[in-house]
Amino acid sequence: MPGSDAFDLRQFLRGDGRNAGVWIALAALILFGLARYENFGSAYNIVSFLNYNSMFIIISIGMCFVIMTGGIDLSVGSVAAFASVVAAYLSPYGIEVALPGGVLAGAAFGAINAFCIIAMRIPPFIATLATMLAAKGGALVISGAQTISVDWGSNFTKLGMEKAFNILPWTIVIVAIVAIVLWVVLEQTSLGRTVLAIGGSEDASNLMGLKVNRAKVFVYLLSGGCAGLAGVFLASGFGAGQPLEGIGWELSAIASVVVGGTLLTGGLGSVTATVAGALLLGLVFNILNFENGRGTISLSAYWQMVIRGGFLFVVILLQTRMNASRQKAG
Amino acid sequence: MHSLLSMKGIDKAFSSVPALRQAHLEVAPGEVHALIGQNGAGKSTMIKILTGVYRRDGGDVRFDDKPADISNPGQAQKSGIATIYQELNLVPLRSVTENVVMGYEPRRLGMLIDWRTAHRRTREILARFGIDIDVRAPLGSYSTAIRQLVAIARAVSLDAKLVIMDEPTSSLDDREVEVLFGVVRELKNSGVSVLYVSHFLDELFQICDRVTTMRDGQTVAVRSIAETSKLELIADMLGRNVEDIEAAGMTDLGGGEKQLGDVLLEADGIATGRRLFEFDLSVRRGEIVGLGGLLGSGRTEAGRALFGVDALTAGEIRLKGKRWAPTGPAGAIGDRIGMLTEDRKAEGIVPDMSVRENMTLALLPRLSRNGQIQTGRERQIVEEYIKALGIKTSNMDQPIRELSGGNQQKVLLARWLATEPELLILDEPTRGVDVGAKLEIQAIIRQYVDRGFGVVLISSEFEELVEGADRIVVLQDGHSVATLENPGITEDALVKAIAHHHTGEHA
């Protein structure tokens, strides 16, 4: 990092200043949880919560980059499922092979997306809808529509259990590293700024000689690769490659990104706020589980989804209101 | 005098910075009233208060003999105030008729839309303006001029008593402007008032009755057009004496002894698939070469070809004596050519990005080390250019969309100057920019060529070309047809060169 610039915490948290809502909601939810449930703040709950949500966080970050260019990637859920099967097949060779293998499988779908969108000029929505179906079909074909058990003898399943440096599970550490690297890419590099410029005005970006296509290839490869990594986490955490998983993940990811203040039209966005968005969405389930655990209410998984939807709505409303008042003041 | 609209003692502040101070504006029934002033003078704020976009902090608004307390644009429309925006708020994919009647469709049996009546009514209104087009075709298939007239037709169909036009002619060519003026006169004859906001002072003398001038949030003069002069209006806008301005001259591109250097760029019979068929040009160091011609003559296309946006289908370009094959904007920038595009909104600014980010986008390759932006250097460069070009911004991290048009244009100019191109192609660099900023931008361009660089200046303003360019290449239907040399070019000579070849070609 250039030495002349001090790290600006406010900018780090705030991104473009549009996403105060997500941080407030996240803080409120955490405080609520801490006040109401005894074990909410326990190390066990925190670690297992982060561990489980690492898949969604990683997919949301990839999605965030795609959306910032004004695109969309609907294929992430099926690609994760496909990659989980690939990783399960590769698990006997150990994590050293299965992890890159799963990521590459995801990135391969990202490459197909990039090719369709950039070279063939198919709108992202359509192109990634097609790869979504293709990846889902592909996952069923290579798995024979069965869950593929991982090799429990190898070190593959330790990804989600063994702790790195005896502190945190590897999944969480990997997610943290990816998030930090991509935050730097977005905030500090010309690639990141090109991504935002494309979303702001693709014509202008082209006429300024920015490497528009290269940046677009990057975001789709990244999104595919992130989905692949999520697939690896899935296989490792649940002990099996799951061809039928991943349904609706793309929508959760888009929700996390939007809650994080990223514009669906592109041009504005934040990695940190996207992570916060993903955490927020996960936390709603976590809290509902605690509430069920108290025995005062008993909500089925279906009702939990309804509540999460309502909560999402409230946060986005809060977000828009705050932006509106901010613009009036400015 | 009896007024249709009367705004008195209007105050408005944005986060305690006053934008309007005791401003006033009166429009008589059936009057075409001009509202002028530099960017940031308060014109838009005044209009936005009138149309309910902003709430005033103080003052009185009366419209049509009633106190008007308009709190949103819909209410303004209902009370008879229609606004024709610069960026038209119409739906290009739907038909002309739909755009005119949307929200007020004639009904049959209380439910179904009566399309036959809708089409007929739309045709009638457009016919009043002397326009005969297929009203069933999508609006987007017509030119900006037609779209603008459709917007006016919509306003008229809603029984507007006051039509506000914000820079209506900025994207029209001469003939289209004439049609628009016809419409304005027709509105006036039928008793509708027009509030006309424009930077083109010449226009005001053709169609306006009175003019209100604003400066720094205040109304500084209300004059009858018949009893004033262009110079007087400029003096009002700038807050200076008429004599001072006369001494300084109107356009600042010219002046200074020319010392021309080597030939920088030569184009020989180049053509692209986009309305450019045979175009010759040479630019020397220290020279501003103007491209003149009517809208659609291939001026912009010539610029795009030189910048490598459109691929050549014939001809060749030599850069500094060597044959040069354009490969696209990135390649051109690498070879130190820059281009400021005509359409600032669509092809220039990235609206949500800050002034700083917008300014350094084209510079990123040189600002980054291993892909990482050197933010310290970035801020330093931006700081320099903000100072050098006098860009008015609260700070460099302010979103560019919050700046006035003139300041946005300066940021874009800075974007290119920072890359230090040897050849800079400027397409309408002062369009939609107020008089003060225009002079400043022209001075910046002159300083730049004086450092031994070359400029290709594309402009639809004859005055800017005649006074600013060292040479003018005249284009017509995608061909370069004549070259005029300064000193000695007059506006008349340029108009004749354009007109002569026009008649010659088609005779």
Side-chain angles (χ1 to χ4, degrees):
Chain A
M1 243 177 261
S4 56
D5 292 283
F7 176 74
D8 185 344
L9 181 71
R10 262 180 44 224
Q11 198 207 334
F12 176 81
L13 293 176
R14 159 174 76 88
D16 292 290
R18 310 195 145 232
N19 36 43
V22 69
W23 293 107
I24 293 171
L26 189 61
L29 222 49
I30 290 172
L31 289 177
F32 175 81
L34 286 175
R36 192 165 167 87
Y37 315 111
E38 197 183 337
N39 294 322
F40 184 79
S42 70
Y44 174 78
N45 183 48
I46 293 172
V47 168
S48 67
F49 168 75
L50 289 177
N51 211 356
Y52 175 71
N53 281 285
S54 54
M55 303 186 289
F56 303 113
I57 295 172
I58 210 82
I59 285 190
S60 302
I61 297 174
M63 182 70 80
C64 169
F65 273 80
V66 173
I67 288 179
M68 281 188 293
T69 63
I72 195 92
D73 187 351
L74 298 179
S75 67
V76 289
S78 340
V79 168
F82 183 92
S84 79
V85 175
V86 171
Y89 275 129
L90 292 175
S91 60
Y93 303 102
I95 192 72
E96 302 81 359
V97 174
L99 187 138
V103 172
L104 280 178
F109 278 100
I112 296 172
N113 284 334
F115 177 77
C116 294
I117 291 161
I118 297 156
M120 299 177 66
R121 294 172 179 277
I122 299 171
F125 192 94
I126 314 277
T128 59
L129 190 62
T131 35
M132 167 181 163
L133 298 172
K136 188 182 239 172
L140 290 169
V141 169
I142 61 169
S143 66
Q146 302 290 318
T147 54
I148 303 298
S149 181
V150 302
D151 180 356
W152 290 91
S154 82
N155 62 358
F156 181 67
T157 49
K158 291 183 178 154
L159 193 60
M161 296 173 206
E162 195 161 283
K163 290 183 175 169
F165 319 113
N166 282 325
I167 306 171
L168 284 169
W170 277 105
T171 42
I172 300 174
V173 174
I174 293 172
V175 168
I177 293 171
V178 171
I180 290 170
V181 167
L182 290 175
W183 176 77
V184 170
V185 166
L186 181 65
E187 306 284 330
Q188 300 280 334
T189 69
S190 53
L191 176 62
R193 205 163 293 170
T194 305
V195 164
L196 288 169
I198 293 170
S201 173
E202 192 164 340
D203 283 339
S205 306
N206 264 317
L207 287 168
M208 275 178 286
L210 298 181
K211 293 182 177 117
V212 170
N213 285 346
R214 201 184 67 171
K216 283 167 88 173
V217 169
F218 165 75
V219 297
Y220 287 102
L221 281 181
L222 176 70
S223 178
C226 284
L229 186 55
V232 174
F233 290 171
L234 177 68
S236 154
F238 294 85
Q242 318 231 12
L244 288 169
E245 258 301 329
I247 294 166
W249 285 16
E250 66 284 341
L251 297 180
S252 309
I254 294 169
S256 305
V257 172
V258 171
V259 167
T262 300
L263 284 185
L264 270 180
T265 46
L268 269 181
S270 154
V271 172
T272 44
T274 297
V275 172
L279 289 175
L280 187 64
L281 258 57
L283 208 54
V284 176
F285 276 148
N286 191 244
I287 282 187
L288 288 173
N289 281 337
F290 270 98
E291 196 61 43
N292 274 343
R294 279 167 61 112
T296 43
I297 55 162
S298 173
L299 286 169
S300 70
Y302 305 133
W303 273 111
Q304 293 192 15
M305 274 197 252
V306 173
I307 290 180
R308 189 156 88 147
F311 188 76
L312 194 72
F313 178 76
V314 171
V315 173
I316 290 181
L317 200 67
L318 183 73
Q319 196 94 289
T320 351
R321 280 290 158 84
M322 289 177 60
N323 287 334
S325 62
R326 214 169 55 86
Q327 274 184 347
K328 261 187 202 141
Chain B
M1 190 177 57
H2 170 73
S3 311
L4 172 71
L5 168 73
S6 152
M7 299 174 80
K8 279 189 190 134
I10 306 293
D11 284 320
K12 175 74 190 173
F14 295 105
S15 33
S16 81
V17 179
L20 291 178
R21 286 173 295 169
Q22 295 292 306
H24 58 91
L25 175 66
E26 305 250 345
V27 180
E31 178 191 35
V32 182
H33 193 103
L35 180 61
I36 63 171
Q38 296 201 65
N39 290 325
K43 290 169 304 188
S44 321
T45 313
M46 199 73 169
I47 288 173
K48 283 181 176 157
I49 285 174
L50 174 57
T51 54
V53 179
Y54 295 152
R55 271 199 161 296
R56 62 180 184 270
D57 297 340
D60 277 319
V61 180
R62 287 182 70 82
F63 183 73
D64 205 16
D65 288 328
K66 288 186 288 283
D69 207 16
I70 294 165
S71 58
N72 63 63
Q75 209 181 334
Q77 214 170 57
K78 279 205 196 82
S79 358
I81 301 173
T83 315
I84 316 298
Y85 289 101
Q86 242 168 324
E87 292 83 36
L88 296 172
N89 44 347
L90 296 175
V91 191
L93 287 174
R94 306 309 307 171
S95 73
V96 172
T97 299
E98 281 173 275
N99 273 287
V100 170
V101 302
M102 206 174 291
Y104 307 87
E105 299 92 345
R107 303 281 164 132
R108 248 179 336 141
L109 307 172
M111 288 212 13
L112 304 168
I113 295 175
D114 182 354
W115 284 114
R116 200 189 303 193
T117 310
H119 288 310
R120 182 171 45 78
R121 204 183 286 171
T122 306
R123 266 194 296 267
E124 278 168 11
I125 298 168
L126 289 172
R128 263 175 65 193
F129 301 153
I131 304 160
D132 180 23
I133 55 170
D134 178 6
V135 295
R136 291 158 199 264
L139 183 68
S141 61
Y142 293 107
S143 68
T144 318
I146 296 284
R147 287 189 227 178
Q148 206 148 28
L149 297 176
V150 169
I152 297 172
R154 177 180 169 85
V156 172
S157 76
L158 298 179
D159 291 322
K161 297 191 186 76
L162 174 69
V163 176
I164 302 169
M165 298 188 186
D166 188 4
E167 290 288 341
T169 59
S170 60
S171 45
L172 305 187
D173 70 21
D174 293 352
R175 261 170 324 194
E176 293 169 334
V177 169
E178 274 313 309
V179 175
L180 179 80
F181 286 177
V183 170
V184 170
R185 291 190 189 105
E186 164 64 29
L187 288 175
K188 181 180 158 71
N189 288 339
S190 51
V192 177
S193 303
V194 175
L195 184 60
Y196 193 91
V197 181
S198 179
H199 286 123
F200 300 112
L201 299 181
D202 290 329
E203 290 174 7
L204 311 186
F205 292 88
Q206 292 184 47
I207 51 160
C208 295
D209 301 310
R210 287 192 306 156
V211 50
T212 292
T213 310
M214 297 189 67
R215 188 177 72 238
D216 297 335
Q218 287 171 308
T219 305
V220 292
V222 181
R223 293 175 190 273
S224 156
I225 275 282
E227 292 156 22
T228 187
S229 68
K230 195 169 150 186
L231 216 51
E232 237 172 356
L233 295 182
I234 293 174
D236 287 343
M237 281 162 68
L238 298 178
R240 293 192 221 157
N241 292 324
V242 172
E243 297 76 33
D244 295 349
I245 295 177
E246 228 158 359
M250 289 282 301
T251 301
D252 254 8
L253 280 173
E257 285 297 301
K258 310 288 178 309
Q259 290 202 325
L260 298 186
D262 313 334
V263 175
L264 198 57
L265 177 121
E266 274 176 295
D268 215 351
I270 58 170
T272 64
R274 275 174 67 117
R275 291 191 302 193
L276 188 71
F277 304 108
E278 198 182 4
F279 175 72
D280 301 326
L281 177 79
S282 83
V283 186
R284 302 172 65 180
R285 290 185 183 277
E287 189 178 37
I288 300 178
V289 179
L291 299 188
L294 299 175
L295 201 74
S297 62
R299 296 180 314 216
T300 296
E301 288 73 13
R304 288 170 64 95
L306 296 176
F307 193 50
V309 184
D310 304 330
L312 295 189
T313 53
E316 87 171 33
I317 299 176
R318 283 183 300 280
L319 188 65
K320 288 183 268 181
K322 279 189 220 113
R323 187 165 180 173
W324 182 71
T327 53
I333 293 165
D335 290 321
R336 301 186 67 186
I337 299 178
M339 178 167 176
L340 185 66
T341 48
E342 174 185 14
D343 192 342
R344 187 165 63 223
K345 289 241 155 54
E347 299 180 334
I349 64 168
V350 182
D352 281 322
M353 281 192 157
S354 66
V355 168
R356 168 176 56 84
E357 290 167 320
N358 265 286
M359 203 185 283
T360 55
L361 274 177
L363 196 63
L364 285 181
R366 256 184 281 164
L367 261 183
S368 351
R369 195 170 290 161
N370 300 326
Q372 194 166 27
I373 301 166
Q374 300 170 282
T375 36
R377 244 192 86 207
E378 180 187 24
R379 302 192 85 87
Q380 183 190 335
I381 292 173
V382 173
E383 192 72 54
E384 273 168 29
Y385 277 97
I386 285 178
K387 221 176 277 167
L389 271 59
I391 296 168
K392 289 194 189 75
T393 170
S394 64
N395 64 72
M396 65 172 75
D397 292 314
Q398 191 180 6
I400 194 168
R401 63 183 142 75
E402 293 175 3
L403 267 57
S404 69
N407 280 306
Q408 288 182 357
Q409 191 71 349
K410 282 191 200 168
V411 172
L412 296 187
L413 197 57
R415 175 194 283 170
W416 289 114
L417 294 178
T419 65
E420 302 198 309
E422 292 186 304
L423 180 75
L424 190 50
I425 304 159
L426 302 170
D427 196 356
E428 303 285 1
T430 62
R431 168 178 289 177
V433 163
D434 67 68
V435 180
K438 187 167 171 170
L439 293 178
E440 286 168 9
I441 288 173
Q442 288 170 338
I444 294 163
I445 297 170
R446 178 50 74 185
Q447 272 171 25
Y448 170 74
V449 292
D450 283 347
R451 289 167 56 199
F453 300 124
V455 162
V456 175
L457 175 68
I458 303 170
S459 175
S460 51
E461 278 184 62
F462 295 150
E463 188 180 300
E464 186 169 68
L465 285 176
V466 167
E467 296 187 16
D470 300 311
R471 242 163 359 104
I472 302 174
V473 174
V474 177
L475 278 112
Q476 199 242 300
D477 292 337
H479 300 261
S480 46
V481 293
T483 304
L484 308 175
E485 300 266 353
N486 246 341
I489 313 177
T490 60
E491 267 184 61
D492 265 1
L494 177 57
V495 171
K496 269 184 200 139
I498 292 169
H500 171 74
H501 287 279
H502 245 284
T503 50
E505 194 92 354
H506 295 294

